[in-house]
Amino acid sequence: MSESARGGTAGPELFGSRWGLLLATLGMAVGTGNIWRFPRIVATNGGGSFLVAWVCFLLLWSIPLMIVELSFGKRSRRGTVGAFHRLAGEKKAWMGGWVALCATAIMFYYSVVAGWCLRYLWASLTGELAQRTSEDLWSSYAESGGAVMTHVLAMGSAFAVVWFGVRGIERVAKVLIPTLALLVVILAVRAVTLPGAERGLEFLFSPDWAALGQPKIWLEALTQNAWDTGAGWGLILSYAIYMRVREDVPLNAFLVGFGNNSISLLAGIMVLCTVFAIQPQAHEQIVGAGNEGLTFVWMPRLFTEMPGGGVFMMLFFLALSFAALTSLIAMLELATRVLMDFGAERRRALSWVGGIGLVFGLPSALSMEVFANQDWVWGLGLMLSGLLFALGARSFGLERLRKEVVNAPGADLTIGRWWTFVVGVLVPLEAVVLLVWWLWQATRGQELLQWLSPRSTFNVGTVVVQWGIALLALLACNRWLREHLVDRAPRSGERSNPEVDST
Amino acid sequence: MSGIAVTMMVWVCGLVWGGFAGLLIRAVRQEGKKAPGEH
């Protein structure tokens, strides 16, 4: 066990190079949402016109928030709770607590998703999907002991990587992310060369300009950016802790944002060209089948009808598994780092996080209803996390953050005052509008008592109760959080970090 | 494919992939300029 991996005295944990940081952060950002959600959402929201709104919100939500997260991590050298405490103010530790809690709650069920991907990868490798239908496999596997086993396997794999600290994360990212990008390119090229694939491209890129007048298109585009780039989740902050002292912030944020959306675009081309080439008459049914329906029922069926489809199905589930695992690794690291800031040694903190993750993921592995409820409640919670990052940055001083951290020596781009306006005004406004819109959507067609009932899977009541418990607990513990954060001043043998010391 | 779909494809893919490629080239150049101990 290396000293640095234990958080010992040999030196601070840092990424070995800019490329290590970038690949790890891209691995965090590129997840299943890029591959299974983006093609569905773009297909059901006006194709080309949705893409216009999607590009706008990359610049008006994702990248500005990524800059905030990178700055918070680099400046504070602490996890989410410590970063908010140190930069936003002593009374704001609960905000970092919310961000950590939300990402950790997502980790519980995301491990189940990563397990599903591994199960289908195994089924495509062994030829099981050629012998039985994908519906048959899904109905016998989901909510069974098999889903629990693959949840354990996924959590165990991510655990093994985080065990070796930031160097372990960097090494794995350097292999998995270039491979993932190559796989997605191969799959997209195969899809566009299928006979009839041009109908998929036509569907994806044909704009419906009238649709741009509908608020729904813009809200869906904002939601997609919020969910698939990972901006405002606290995960980027957790990796930025390990940036080198004179590492750039703004160019790295732009690279991660554009890199993530590049993969989404490739995934959209891959999925829609495959759908339109193989089963054009069923495209509405396929894209309307939900994330799991599209990925685990329809995609295997389409691949089996494609020449050489067995190989491409294996590559598809390999890409999906890599995307899921690299995001799960970031979620484990976030929670581990928060515990380390309270004095726990890395491997002890990780053992707690992994153990709790295994137990709390079980309900989602065994019940699709619990899974859907948790995805609804904590997916929406990410909008609040984004809002808290914007408010936290305002508390520190947006201009101060821009001058002292974002545009500090080492920056490869200079960020102007536009960023101050976007983070200070637009991001909070977008977050509030999104929250209200999603909650309003959940009340439509329901009686008052129905939408307030906490027992429903998708309604306002379940969100209010679960968020309420979490927020009340965090506010009640705010003082405890403040008092128990360990000031990790450089110990003997560690390099001093002037940016940390000056805070 | 219709002309408008082709135009949109070129515009969106050019912006997203071209943007990423341009930023990557800039990052490679900046890294090349930095001295080994500069971090």
Side-chain angles (χ1 to χ4, degrees):
Chain A
M1 185 191 304
S2 74
E3 286 292 319
S4 73
R6 286 188 281 143
T9 56
E13 290 186 87
L14 293 174
F15 281 105
S17 69
R18 174 185 213 151
W19 311 117
L21 167 74
L22 268 174
L23 289 170
T25 314
L26 260 175
M28 174 285 302
V30 177
T32 50
N34 299 62
I35 299 174
W36 77 7
R37 191 174 190 276
F38 176 78
R40 243 179 12 85
I41 297 300
V42 72
T44 48
N45 286 284
S49 35
F50 172 86
L51 293 174
V52 173
W54 175 70
V55 170
C56 287
F57 284 118
L58 172 65
L59 302 170
L60 297 177
W61 174 278
S62 304
I63 290 173
L65 276 178
M66 284 179 181
I67 292 174
V68 172
E69 281 205 47
L70 284 168
S71 305
F72 265 42
K74 185 182 178 189
R75 176 77 177 209
S76 69
R77 303 285 172 182
R78 281 160 181 77
T80 56
V81 179
F84 272 84
H85 170 262
R86 194 160 181 124
L87 301 184
E90 286 200 342
K91 292 180 179 174
K92 309 275 173 63
W94 70 271
M95 290 186 175
W98 169 268
V99 173
L101 190 131
C102 202
T104 307
I106 290 173
M107 178 192 81
F108 298 152
Y109 68 83
Y110 198 79
S111 172
V112 176
V113 174
W116 294 343
C117 300
L118 292 174
R119 175 68 183 88
Y120 271 69
L121 172 61
W122 178 251
S124 57
L125 278 169
T126 56
E128 190 181 348
L129 278 166
Q131 292 160 4
R132 61 195 291 200
T133 64
S134 49
E135 291 96 325
D136 181 32
L137 175 58
W138 181 249
S139 58
S140 63
Y141 163 69
E143 302 183 301
S144 73
V148 173
M149 282 179 64
T150 51
H151 157 58
V152 173
L153 182 64
M155 188 63 88
S157 307
F159 182 95
V161 174
V162 181
W163 184 262
F164 293 99
V166 70
R167 287 304 170 97
I169 295 169
E170 183 174 358
R171 278 194 204 114
V172 168
K174 279 182 172 172
V175 175
L176 295 196
I177 297 308
T179 312
L180 166 65
L182 184 66
L183 290 174
V184 177
V185 169
I186 291 171
L187 288 162
V189 169
R190 175 63 189 129
V192 295
T193 51
L194 287 168
E198 68 279 0
R199 283 174 293 187
L201 291 175
E202 173 95 41
F203 185 78
L204 177 61
F205 290 105
S206 289
D208 172 9
W209 299 119
L212 281 175
Q214 300 168 10
K216 182 175 178 287
I217 299 287
W218 292 90
L219 291 164
E220 287 284 7
L222 174 53
T223 307
Q224 182 59 30
N225 266 290
W227 283 347
D228 90 354
T229 57
W233 293 44
L235 301 172
I236 299 172
L237 181 154
S238 302
Y239 280 170
I241 296 167
Y242 311 111
M243 289 170 88
R244 293 172 300 175
V245 177
R246 287 175 66 84
E247 189 72 273
D248 157 89
V249 166
L251 183 55
N252 284 338
F254 274 89
L255 270 166
V256 173
F258 274 85
N260 174 76
N261 284 22
S262 294
I263 298 282
S264 289
L265 202 50
L266 279 167
I269 291 170
M270 167 185 79
V271 170
L272 292 175
C273 286
T274 306
V275 168
F276 275 84
I278 310 286
Q279 293 223 8
Q281 72 288 353
H283 75 269
E284 284 187 8
Q285 192 187 348
I286 296 171
V287 297
N291 293 334
E292 300 90 63
L294 171 70
T295 312
F296 299 116
V297 175
W298 277 103
M299 288 308 289
R301 194 191 287 184
L302 296 176
F303 280 123
T304 51
E305 292 177 31
M306 181 196 290
V311 174
F312 292 104
M313 178 156 57
M314 191 264 289
L315 296 182
F316 174 78
F317 285 112
L318 187 62
L320 205 60
S321 301
F322 283 0
L325 283 175
T326 47
S327 299
L328 184 62
I329 287 166
M331 292 175 199
L332 264 180
E333 172 60 25
L334 182 151
T336 300
R337 180 65 208 202
V338 168
L339 291 189
M340 285 169 68
D341 288 342
F342 287 94
E345 176 224 20
R346 169 176 283 282
R347 292 182 174 177
R348 190 179 174 83
L350 176 63
S351 300
W352 274 102
V353 172
I356 291 169
L358 276 181
V359 173
F360 281 78
L362 289 178
S364 294
L366 292 169
S367 163
M368 288 303 291
E369 201 173 326
V370 173
F371 172 83
N373 173 262
Q374 290 301 287
D375 193 23
W376 160 243
V377 172
W378 300 112
L380 199 59
L382 291 173
M383 308 299 164
L384 185 56
S385 293
L387 174 64
L388 294 180
F389 264 109
L391 297 180
R394 277 174 64 148
S395 295
F396 180 78
L398 285 166
E399 271 302 288
R400 186 178 162 209
L401 196 65
R402 187 174 74 89
K403 287 175 183 164
E404 293 181 12
V405 189
V406 180
N407 291 337
D412 295 329
L413 279 180
T414 304
I415 295 295
R417 282 173 166 269
W418 65 268
W419 174 82
T420 310
F421 173 74
V422 171
V423 177
V425 180
L426 288 187
V427 169
L429 190 67
E430 291 164 26
V432 170
V433 170
L434 259 192
L435 279 170
V436 170
W437 180 67
W438 276 99
L439 293 174
W440 175 74
Q441 292 264 82
T443 65
R444 284 197 309 177
Q446 291 189 352
E447 298 290 331
L448 181 68
L449 283 177
Q450 259 183 314
W451 65 261
L452 278 179
S453 166
R455 290 183 179 183
S456 174
T457 306
F458 300 106
N459 73 348
V460 179
T462 188
V463 172
V464 170
V465 168
Q466 293 183 62
W467 283 21
I469 293 169
L471 285 169
L472 284 174
L474 286 167
L475 287 167
C477 294
N478 195 48
R479 188 171 177 170
W480 186 92
L481 292 174
R482 273 164 32 200
E483 289 172 355
H484 287 80
L485 275 169
V486 175
D487 195 2
R488 293 170 62 83
R491 292 170 242 179
S492 83
E494 283 192 358
R495 276 176 284 160
S496 146
N497 183 340
E499 288 182 46
V500 176
D501 300 340
S502 66
T503 312
Chain B
M1 276 176 77
S2 65
I4 187 75
V6 171
T7 308
M8 277 299 292
M9 185 170 74
V10 170
W11 185 82
V12 174
C13 293
L15 189 67
V16 177
W17 295 339
F20 179 63
L23 291 164
L24 198 57
I25 290 166
R26 186 176 176 127
V28 169
R29 283 186 180 162
Q30 293 290 346
E31 283 303 293
K33 281 183 197 167
K34 287 175 186 169
E38 205 176 327
H39 295 287

PDB file of all heavy atoms in Angstrom, chain A residues 293-304:
ATOM      1  N   GLY A 293     -35.922  -0.257 -21.764  1.00  0.00           N
ATOM      2  CA  GLY A 293     -36.565  -0.918 -22.896  1.00  0.00           C
ATOM      3  C   GLY A 293     -35.735  -0.778 -24.167  1.00  0.00           C
ATOM      4  O   GLY A 293     -35.544  -1.737 -24.916  1.00  0.00           O
ATOM      5  N   LEU A 294     -35.226   0.442 -24.407  1.00  0.00           N
ATOM      6  CA  LEU A 294     -34.414   0.683 -25.601  1.00  0.00           C
ATOM      7  C   LEU A 294     -33.131  -0.148 -25.553  1.00  0.00           C
ATOM      8  O   LEU A 294     -32.771  -0.832 -26.511  1.00  0.00           O
ATOM      9  CB  LEU A 294     -34.069   2.174 -25.707  1.00  0.00           C
ATOM     10  CG  LEU A 294     -33.045   2.552 -26.775  1.00  0.00           C
ATOM     11  CD1 LEU A 294     -33.617   2.390 -28.172  1.00  0.00           C
ATOM     12  CD2 LEU A 294     -32.558   3.983 -26.598  1.00  0.00           C
ATOM     13  N   THR A 295     -32.450  -0.090 -24.402  1.00  0.00           N
ATOM     14  CA  THR A 295     -31.104  -0.663 -24.321  1.00  0.00           C
ATOM     15  C   THR A 295     -31.102  -2.177 -24.158  1.00  0.00           C
ATOM     16  O   THR A 295     -30.301  -2.862 -24.789  1.00  0.00           O
ATOM     17  CB  THR A 295     -30.345  -0.024 -23.133  1.00  0.00           C
ATOM     18  OG1 THR A 295     -30.516   1.375 -23.223  1.00  0.00           O
ATOM     19  CG2 THR A 295     -28.879  -0.381 -23.152  1.00  0.00           C
ATOM     20  N   PHE A 296     -31.971  -2.681 -23.285  1.00  0.00           N
ATOM     21  CA  PHE A 296     -31.868  -4.096 -22.942  1.00  0.00           C
ATOM     22  C   PHE A 296     -32.891  -4.977 -23.655  1.00  0.00           C
ATOM     23  O   PHE A 296     -32.815  -6.198 -23.555  1.00  0.00           O
ATOM     24  CB  PHE A 296     -31.973  -4.265 -21.419  1.00  0.00           C
ATOM     25  CG  PHE A 296     -30.868  -3.549 -20.693  1.00  0.00           C
ATOM     26  CD1 PHE A 296     -31.132  -2.493 -19.828  1.00  0.00           C
ATOM     27  CD2 PHE A 296     -29.550  -3.910 -20.896  1.00  0.00           C
ATOM     28  CE1 PHE A 296     -30.107  -1.814 -19.187  1.00  0.00           C
ATOM     29  CE2 PHE A 296     -28.513  -3.243 -20.260  1.00  0.00           C
ATOM     30  CZ  PHE A 296     -28.797  -2.190 -19.405  1.00  0.00           C
ATOM     31  N   VAL A 297     -33.846  -4.370 -24.330  1.00  0.00           N
ATOM     32  CA  VAL A 297     -34.811  -5.180 -25.083  1.00  0.00           C
ATOM     33  C   VAL A 297     -34.645  -4.934 -26.584  1.00  0.00           C
ATOM     34  O   VAL A 297     -34.412  -5.858 -27.360  1.00  0.00           O
ATOM     35  CB  VAL A 297     -36.257  -4.884 -24.621  1.00  0.00           C
ATOM     36  CG1 VAL A 297     -37.250  -5.650 -25.494  1.00  0.00           C
ATOM     37  CG2 VAL A 297     -36.439  -5.271 -23.145  1.00  0.00           C
ATOM     38  N   TRP A 298     -34.728  -3.649 -26.992  1.00  0.00           N
ATOM     39  CA  TRP A 298     -34.736  -3.357 -28.423  1.00  0.00           C
ATOM     40  C   TRP A 298     -33.362  -3.447 -29.080  1.00  0.00           C
ATOM     41  O   TRP A 298     -33.232  -3.997 -30.170  1.00  0.00           O
ATOM     42  CB  TRP A 298     -35.361  -1.976 -28.682  1.00  0.00           C
ATOM     43  CG  TRP A 298     -36.845  -2.048 -28.715  1.00  0.00           C
ATOM     44  CD1 TRP A 298     -37.705  -1.663 -27.724  1.00  0.00           C
ATOM     45  CD2 TRP A 298     -37.674  -2.571 -29.764  1.00  0.00           C
ATOM     46  NE1 TRP A 298     -38.998  -1.901 -28.090  1.00  0.00           N
ATOM     47  CE2 TRP A 298     -39.016  -2.463 -29.342  1.00  0.00           C
ATOM     48  CE3 TRP A 298     -37.419  -3.126 -31.014  1.00  0.00           C
ATOM     49  CZ2 TRP A 298     -40.095  -2.877 -30.118  1.00  0.00           C
ATOM     50  CZ3 TRP A 298     -38.483  -3.541 -31.809  1.00  0.00           C
ATOM     51  CH2 TRP A 298     -39.806  -3.418 -31.351  1.00  0.00           C
ATOM     52  N   MET A 299     -32.325  -2.887 -28.439  1.00  0.00           N
ATOM     53  CA  MET A 299     -31.005  -2.896 -29.096  1.00  0.00           C
ATOM     54  C   MET A 299     -30.508  -4.320 -29.355  1.00  0.00           C
ATOM     55  O   MET A 299     -30.053  -4.610 -30.476  1.00  0.00           O
ATOM     56  CB  MET A 299     -29.978  -2.081 -28.283  1.00  0.00           C
ATOM     57  CG  MET A 299     -30.174  -0.584 -28.334  1.00  0.00           C
ATOM     58  SD  MET A 299     -30.313   0.142 -29.993  1.00  0.00           S
ATOM     59  CE  MET A 299     -28.658   0.009 -30.625  1.00  0.00           C
ATOM     60  N   PRO A 300     -30.602  -5.269 -28.390  1.00  0.00           N
ATOM     61  CA  PRO A 300     -30.175  -6.644 -28.707  1.00  0.00           C
ATOM     62  C   PRO A 300     -30.981  -7.234 -29.860  1.00  0.00           C
ATOM     63  O   PRO A 300     -30.435  -7.935 -30.718  1.00  0.00           O
ATOM     64  CB  PRO A 300     -30.452  -7.407 -27.404  1.00  0.00           C
ATOM     65  CG  PRO A 300     -30.443  -6.382 -26.337  1.00  0.00           C
ATOM     66  CD  PRO A 300     -30.972  -5.134 -26.971  1.00  0.00           C
ATOM     67  N   ARG A 301     -32.288  -6.929 -29.894  1.00  0.00           N
ATOM     68  CA  ARG A 301     -33.129  -7.462 -30.974  1.00  0.00           C
ATOM     69  C   ARG A 301     -32.671  -6.916 -32.333  1.00  0.00           C
ATOM     70  O   ARG A 301     -32.593  -7.639 -33.322  1.00  0.00           O
ATOM     71  CB  ARG A 301     -34.588  -7.069 -30.706  1.00  0.00           C
ATOM     72  CG  ARG A 301     -35.559  -7.842 -31.568  1.00  0.00           C
ATOM     73  CD  ARG A 301     -36.942  -7.270 -31.489  1.00  0.00           C
ATOM     74  NE  ARG A 301     -37.631  -7.541 -30.238  1.00  0.00           N
ATOM     75  CZ  ARG A 301     -38.893  -7.170 -30.014  1.00  0.00           C
ATOM     76  NH1 ARG A 301     -39.570  -6.518 -30.932  1.00  0.00           N
ATOM     77  NH2 ARG A 301     -39.471  -7.434 -28.874  1.00  0.00           N
ATOM     78  N   LEU A 302     -32.350  -5.600 -32.361  1.00  0.00           N
ATOM     79  CA  LEU A 302     -31.897  -4.996 -33.618  1.00  0.00           C
ATOM     80  C   LEU A 302     -30.555  -5.583 -34.051  1.00  0.00           C
ATOM     81  O   LEU A 302     -30.341  -5.861 -35.231  1.00  0.00           O
ATOM     82  CB  LEU A 302     -31.781  -3.474 -33.461  1.00  0.00           C
ATOM     83  CG  LEU A 302     -33.084  -2.712 -33.185  1.00  0.00           C
ATOM     84  CD1 LEU A 302     -32.794  -1.240 -32.953  1.00  0.00           C
ATOM     85  CD2 LEU A 302     -34.055  -2.856 -34.360  1.00  0.00           C
ATOM     86  N   PHE A 303     -29.653  -5.763 -33.071  1.00  0.00           N
ATOM     87  CA  PHE A 303     -28.326  -6.308 -33.416  1.00  0.00           C
ATOM     88  C   PHE A 303     -28.430  -7.729 -33.987  1.00  0.00           C
ATOM     89  O   PHE A 303     -27.668  -8.091 -34.881  1.00  0.00           O
ATOM     90  CB  PHE A 303     -27.410  -6.302 -32.189  1.00  0.00           C
ATOM     91  CG  PHE A 303     -26.800  -4.954 -31.892  1.00  0.00           C
ATOM     92  CD1 PHE A 303     -26.982  -4.334 -30.664  1.00  0.00           C
ATOM     93  CD2 PHE A 303     -26.022  -4.293 -32.845  1.00  0.00           C
ATOM     94  CE1 PHE A 303     -26.429  -3.093 -30.390  1.00  0.00           C
ATOM     95  CE2 PHE A 303     -25.461  -3.053 -32.580  1.00  0.00           C
ATOM     96  CZ  PHE A 303     -25.662  -2.449 -31.348  1.00  0.00           C
ATOM     97  N   THR A 304     -29.356  -8.521 -33.454  1.00  0.00           N
ATOM     98  CA  THR A 304     -29.462  -9.902 -33.956  1.00  0.00           C
ATOM     99  C   THR A 304     -29.973  -9.927 -35.399  1.00  0.00           C
ATOM    100  O   THR A 304     -29.750 -10.901 -36.111  1.00  0.00           O
ATOM    101  CB  THR A 304     -30.397 -10.757 -33.074  1.00  0.00           C
ATOM    102  OG1 THR A 304     -31.629 -10.065 -32.913  1.00  0.00           O
ATOM    103  CG2 THR A 304     -29.792 -11.046 -31.716  1.00  0.00           C
TER     104      THR A 304
END
